[in-house]
Amino acid sequence: MRDRRTARRVVQRDAVDRGGGVGDGARVQLVAGDLQAVGAEDVRGPGPLLVLRAARALDVIGGRWTLLIVRELLLGPRRYTDLVAGLPGIGPNVLAERLRELREAGLVNRSRMPPPAASTVYELTALGEAMRPVVDELTRWGLRFLGAPRPGERFRLGWLLGCVRAGFRPELARGLHETYEFRVDGDVFHLRVDDGTLDIRHGSAGEAACVVSTDLTTFIAVGARLLAVEDALERGIAQVEGGLDAVARAVSILGAHLEATHGRYGIIGAVGAAFRPDAAGGVHETYEFRIGDFLFHARVDEGTVEMGQGPAPDAAATLVTDLATLLQLGAGALTLEDAFAGGSATASGDPEAGLRMAAVFGVTPAGHG
């Protein structure tokens, strides 16, 4: 029989081992057996049992993709196809397996939506909803590593909403009881504020103090206070139903996160999300964007794009403009020709490369007369 010092070493080693292989239950079972053999009277103090509980929790939610699935479901019930779209790179077999594991663990239910939707959806149980503070805290911790999107990464609204929730500052919403609806590039979600608490959900709010319709890049720019709501309305890149005072309150809640991360990383990601692979076949070039004192670039290679912060010495074309004009170009509210004619944008480099740059990011080069 091992003494309690040996038992503790086994538990501690298990905690270290799990850093390289989360989700493997074999070690937990071995340690549990050791502790049972030693006997409760030989394992003094809560330390080993706490490690055991943490290890067991990691067995449930530590598998690859599992926490990301939970993160998606924290925004409300989702169809299988919604989860596939929100988790690019996950294979259908892996998703099905993870959902089965979460259902068996009691974290997820599968249900049928009432007509007219009549769709099968996955939603969190009360036990799954209890993961919210864990996911939020991991998100807050992960903000320390936020940067420009890495190669192969795609920026998505759902990911941003998780960051907004995690970065929520309750003191900004004391005594406030309002709901705000946003329609961003076809995705609809709402923020419900209730005296210092925040809930973010997919779908329409029903009754909302304001409804804001815009594109992803403008949403980020306004939320980060890089662009005033009034300016976005004047330029035709946002539409508002309801009072501007309600929009201002919504922006103050969104901005708590977006300002903390400077919003600029989100701008790079949103521009990258506008990339059109179908227009980039056979293109092998780098394009530079100079937005005031903010520089970033896009490296296009045969239908793929890699976004990066900073200048691009080998840029085939460079676009120089202000943020509001960039947003208008991206939203299709302004053509490149009109931006050049009005002096709000200039370009350098190969003119043909500039046209290819516009095409791969969905910018309209000229009006149709």
Side-chain angles (χ1 to χ4, degrees), residues 178-258:
E178 281 187 324
T179 300
Y180 317 108
E181 182 173 312
F182 291 86
R183 302 171 183 174
V184 180
D185 285 338
D187 287 324
V188 180
F189 68 95
H190 61 273
L191 283 68
R192 195 178 306 278
V193 178
D194 186 13
D195 193 21
T197 65
L198 173 68
D199 191 21
I200 303 178
R201 297 281 172 171
H202 290 292
S204 178
E207 294 184 6
C210 65
V211 178
V212 180
S213 302
T214 188
D215 62 277
L216 178 59
T217 319
T218 303
F219 171 76
I220 294 171
V222 170
R225 292 189 175 89
L226 299 173
L227 181 72
V229 175
E230 294 81 0
D231 199 4
L233 293 173
E234 183 180 344
R235 291 173 178 266
I237 51 179
Q239 296 80 43
V240 170
E241 301 172 27
L244 284 178
D245 55 340
V247 178
R249 290 190 291 273
V251 168
S252 71
I253 293 168
L254 288 169
H257 162 70
L258 294 173

Side-chain angles (χ1 to χ4, degrees), residues 269-287:
V271 170
F275 177 70
R276 298 172 54 189
D278 58 316
V283 177
H284 307 272
E285 291 178 325
T286 299
Y287 309 119

